[in-house]
Amino acid sequence: MSAFAIDMRDVSKRYPYFTLQGLSLRLEPGQIMGFVGPNGAGKSTTIRVLMGITAHDAGEVRVLGHPMPAEQARAKRDIGFVSHDMGLFANATIGWHMAFVRSIYPSWDASYAAALLKRFSLRAEQPVKGLSTGERMLAMLLLALSRRPRLLILDEPTAGLDPVARHVLLAELMDVLKDDSRSILFSSHNTLDVEQISDRITFIDRGRVVASEDKETYLDRWRRLHLDVPEGIRLEPRAGVTSITQGHRTAVVTTDAFTPALEATYRLAGFTVRDVQRLTLEEVFVETVLHTRTERGE
Amino acid sequence: MTRSVVGHLIRKDLFLYRWLIVGTVLVGLCSIILSGSAGAVGAGGQILLVTSVVVLAVFLAVHGVISERQTRSLLFALSLPISPLQYTVAKVVAGLVAFLIPWSILTAAIVGLTHVFNPGAVGALPSSVALMGLLLTNFCILTAIGLISGSELWSVVGIIATNTSVPLFMAAMVPRLTPATDGVMALWSGPIVVTLLAEFAVAVLALATAFVVQSRRTDFAHGAAA
């Protein structure tokens, strides 16, 4: 049995106009993975493969030790899944949904559900069809969290939310994270959200994983160096440098393998290092995606 | 647990359809009573009866299957501890129960009320039962179309086709199946039995096809974002 909450190995899924190729992903128990990619990168497809809703063409998928999609019913007993693309039964109330989910999951925590209802400013008697996007998302999160799942899979949960609803949702997730036995896969194209709560990040682009590492370690490797360049000198690409933007006598070098030695190398070569900046997750994400596309000749 | 989740989903659908079931039974019973009258009122009653059962079938098949995709509650249902095929079982069973409750009550009412209040029309009962059988078959076909295609367009095509079959059946088949319409004896002749068996076979075939297609399907998230 796999010791990972999520263990995907070399998974492929082919569609007429999109292919998920050779995707490998591992999430350890208690880990929070930010799953980041541009629109259409394959995040939702990956998550549907994980949930057993979409069968993969090749590779191996295990969730909480269960092979997917064969044992999806057993695996889903311990998974809480919320997606921006998910709806509730329009003609029923939130309270009806709570009773419905409670009747299915013995692990349902009624007092926690009541606390979340209050915290999310929802009312049990509210019909689903009258809920705003944010309220609907919070209601779904309530239904997922109250069953106390071992694995929480969130597919773009903040999409379409106003800043207040987004803050409430993220605050609640931060609270959930205190339980370090629970694993979370958090998919988003919003790097600010991911940066707040994740301890591991995976970038996906055009159906392929382009990076998957510990967030702090990964961010720490990236730097942007602002250089003054002697006239007539042209900066050449080198290992670890992902991009170079050169002006008349200045240059900006971005690296994903920063060490003080790199800075020293430029100084020794006659360049003046005016500034060394850390990158935000968003900048790292964009740089990683564009660099990978260039390397692949896409 | 999985079996109980299927049961919960069936009960969920029946709960959501409860007013539709009750409404169809009430409208259907009223229309049966009206159809016992002579002239235009009687004809109106018959049309209302057929219409109420057709509306039930269309609503259950389209609302129950297609709308769950459109409102994306399908994804919520599939997040529960069941497989997509078990979801299909729950959907078909819930739909069948929701349809068969009013259908059985109304079919029984047609037979019972005709015997009690209009014994002279008992001879027409076999063709009336065959007509009700056709409506059941149409419901199964619409459900299968909804499950297989997941498409509103194909469902509309199915609705047009199945609805067209009703007046065609009434015009072409009923006179042939009721040789003694005004008789006091219901004759379950060979053609009637063949018709009922054919309706049953088509209904079973439609649902079986839906199950086969669903069991081979590898993607249950239609129109999903990548």
Side-chain angles (χ1 to χ4, degrees), chain A residues 13 15 40 42-45 48 53-55 72-73 76-77 81 84-89 91 96 100 103-105, chain B residues 1-2 5 8-9 12 15 68 71-73 75-76 78-84 218-221 224-226:
Chain A
K13 175 72 184 173
Y15 291 101
K43 301 188 295 293
S44 294
T45 302
R48 279 153 210 244
I53 297 165
T54 296
Q72 61 174 291
K76 286 192 280 193
R77 290 176 195 171
F81 174 43
H84 71 289
D85 207 23
M86 183 186 278
L88 297 171
F89 302 114
N91 292 326
W96 181 89
F100 177 62
S103 69
I104 293 171
Y105 293 89
Chain B
M1 185 183 191
T2 300
V5 178
H8 282 297
L9 283 173
K12 177 268 294 179
F15 172 79
E68 275 198 4
T71 61
R72 296 167 298 177
S73 54
L75 202 53
F76 175 71
L78 291 178
S79 76
L80 302 173
I82 51 162
S83 67
T218 58
D219 195 345
F220 284 82

Side-chain angles (χ1 to χ4, degrees), chain A residues 15-146:
Chain A
Y15 291 101
Y17 303 105
F18 174 78
T19 302
L20 204 64
Q21 32 187 327
L23 197 128
S24 295
L25 204 64
R26 282 179 170 178
L27 178 66
E28 291 176 17
Q31 210 168 42
I32 303 117
M33 179 185 281
F35 192 45
V36 187
N39 291 329
K43 301 188 295 293
S44 294
T45 302
T46 305
I47 284 175
R48 279 153 210 244
V49 167
L50 281 173
M51 288 299 293
I53 297 165
T54 296
H56 49 288
D57 299 332
E60 190 185 350
V61 180
R62 283 184 174 269
V63 178
L64 298 172
H66 299 284
M68 302 294 266
E71 289 187 14
Q72 61 174 291
R74 290 180 70 189
K76 286 192 280 193
R77 290 176 195 171
D78 292 311
I79 304 174
F81 174 43
V82 173
S83 168
H84 71 289
D85 207 23
M86 183 186 278
L88 297 171
F89 302 114
N91 292 326
T93 62
I94 293 175
W96 181 89
H97 280 85
M98 289 167 71
F100 177 62
V101 176
R102 186 179 62 217
S103 69
I104 293 171
Y105 293 89
S107 56
W108 178 265
D109 186 336
S111 57
Y112 184 43
L116 286 178
L117 198 65
K118 195 172 175 186
R119 185 164 177 171
F120 291 165
S121 303
L122 298 171
R123 286 175 294 111
E125 63 274 19
Q126 275 180 280
V128 165
K129 60 183 157 196
L131 297 177
S132 66
T133 306
E135 287 174 326
R136 182 175 54 85
M137 195 59 78
L138 290 172
M140 289 191 295
L141 193 66
L142 180 155
L143 295 171
L145 291 177
S146 300

